[in-house]
Amino acid sequence: TLNDPRQFINSIYKELISRLVVVPSLLNAILDIESRLLDINLKNLKTCVVSGEALSQSTTLKFQDRLINNTKLLNLYGSTEV
């Protein structure tokens, strides 16, 4: 369990992470952070890969709404679960 999503995205910023692989529930927790912090801390993020759980339409729409810096969302659920 991630205790502090804000600290997590701050680490993404500090380490200049451009590709992130997470489960959809973690992505949803990240997307609940206020937009201003997402814009600052995820400005280097180019690709977000989700797998391990089904990606809901609501999380996909939230991602499209919150991450406007041309970050690509790749849903790989099913590729290893089959």
Side-chain angles (χ1 to χ4, degrees):
T1 303
L2 181 67
N3 294 326
D4 188 355
R6 286 184 178 96
Q7 184 178 12
F8 181 65
I9 66 164
N10 189 38
S11 296
I12 292 169
Y13 173 74
K14 285 181 181 178
E15 298 297 326
L16 300 173
I17 302 297
S18 62
R19 183 172 185 245
L20 184 64
V21 179
V22 295
V23 293
S25 55
L26 177 52
L27 176 60
N28 203 40
I30 291 168
L31 294 172
D32 284 340
I33 298 170
E34 55 268 19
S35 293
R36 179 184 57 83
L37 288 178
L38 289 178
D39 291 343
I40 293 168
N41 288 297
L42 299 181
K43 68 181 184 179
N44 295 314
L45 190 63
K46 303 297 179 213
T47 305
C48 182
V49 178
V50 293
S51 66
E53 301 170 355
L55 177 62
S56 70
Q57 183 177 9
S58 62
T59 300
T60 302
L61 293 173
K62 191 188 301 187
F63 179 89
Q64 292 170 341
D65 182 54
R66 302 294 305 275
L67 292 178
I68 56 173
N69 63 345
N70 295 321
T71 303
K72 293 178 184 166
L73 178 63
L74 301 176
N75 181 10
L76 296 185
Y77 182 72
S79 63
T80 58
E81 288 78 14
V82 173

